[in-house]
Amino acid sequence: MTQQQNLDAAFRFAEENPYTGTTQQIVSLSVGIAEISNRFDRTTFALFRDKTEIEPKIFSKLKVIGQTLLEIDEAKRREVIKQLPASYSAIHVLCSLKPEELVTAAKSKVITPSLSVRAAREYVQQVKFPALAATDGEKGRWGHKQEHLYAIFR
């Protein structure tokens, strides 16, 4: 196939899989964009990006999603895709995790198809910064009651 035929096929692929569609369409588009970025040279990829009429910010998010999902092996990727929500923004937030953390979250059913962007951000913060996600209200520090007891027993 010539470069033009490959580019035409890529345009058809982008039209068939909208980023506002189902989870499977979002993932297919994202993985396709990541593969196209690896296959085409910079100028051809820039032409593809401009002609798809997807906003640059959204296109960049889709590319990040695709690159992250391509790092996961095929069998585990299918399991993760089943658990992903139908929102490219939520998937993008989740893709800021390491691939193995993403697989673990999917297996432990933390990621669900009904997951919101806010819940995804909270989960990512909890995984990346566990000390900040302390549930005691004191963020891992002693409260005034504990300090008082320590002063008595000292």
Side-chain angles (χ1 to χ4, degrees):
M1 289 179 92
T2 66
Q3 188 79 350
Q4 185 60 36
Q5 290 173 332
N6 284 336
L7 197 56
D8 291 339
F11 288 134
R12 280 194 305 279
F13 178 75
E15 288 175 4
E16 292 169 0
N17 296 297
Y19 65 90
T20 56
T22 64
T23 303
Q24 190 61 42
Q25 288 175 324
I26 295 168
V27 169
S28 296
L29 179 62
S30 300
V31 170
I33 288 172
E35 289 174 345
I36 289 168
S37 73
N38 294 335
R39 193 173 342 139
F40 290 163
D41 61 348
R42 284 181 162 296
T43 55
T44 308
F45 182 69
L47 177 68
F48 170 72
R49 182 185 63 225
D50 294 340
K51 296 279 184 172
T52 56
E53 298 177 1
I54 298 174
E55 294 294 320
K57 190 174 182 180
I58 296 170
F59 193 88
S60 175
K61 286 181 178 183
L62 293 171
K63 184 179 173 190
V64 168
I65 292 168
Q67 289 171 337
T68 304
L69 292 176
L70 283 175
E71 292 177 20
I72 303 171
D73 68 12
E74 189 67 34
K76 292 179 181 177
R77 187 183 322 151
R78 275 190 241 115
E79 292 178 25
V80 171
I81 291 171
K82 288 178 188 173
Q83 298 296 322
L84 290 175
S87 164
Y88 74 89
S89 296
I91 298 172
H92 179 258
V93 170
L94 291 169
C95 284
S96 65
L97 296 171
K98 295 176 187 169
E100 55 272 2
E101 292 171 340
L102 195 58
V103 171
T104 302
K107 282 184 179 178
S108 63
K109 306 282 189 212
V110 173
I111 299 173
T112 61
S114 62
L115 188 72
S116 67
V117 176
R118 178 179 286 177
R121 278 195 190 108
E122 289 172 2
Y123 177 71
V124 168
Q125 289 293 335
Q126 182 181 4
V127 170
K128 285 189 167 188
F129 309 107
L132 297 177
T135 58
D136 62 356
E138 296 289 334
K139 299 295 181 194
R141 295 185 292 271
W142 282 4
H144 66 281
K145 293 179 184 175
Q146 289 90 351
E147 287 178 2
H148 179 69
L149 288 172
Y150 179 74
I152 291 172
F153 288 110
R154 203 172 17 146

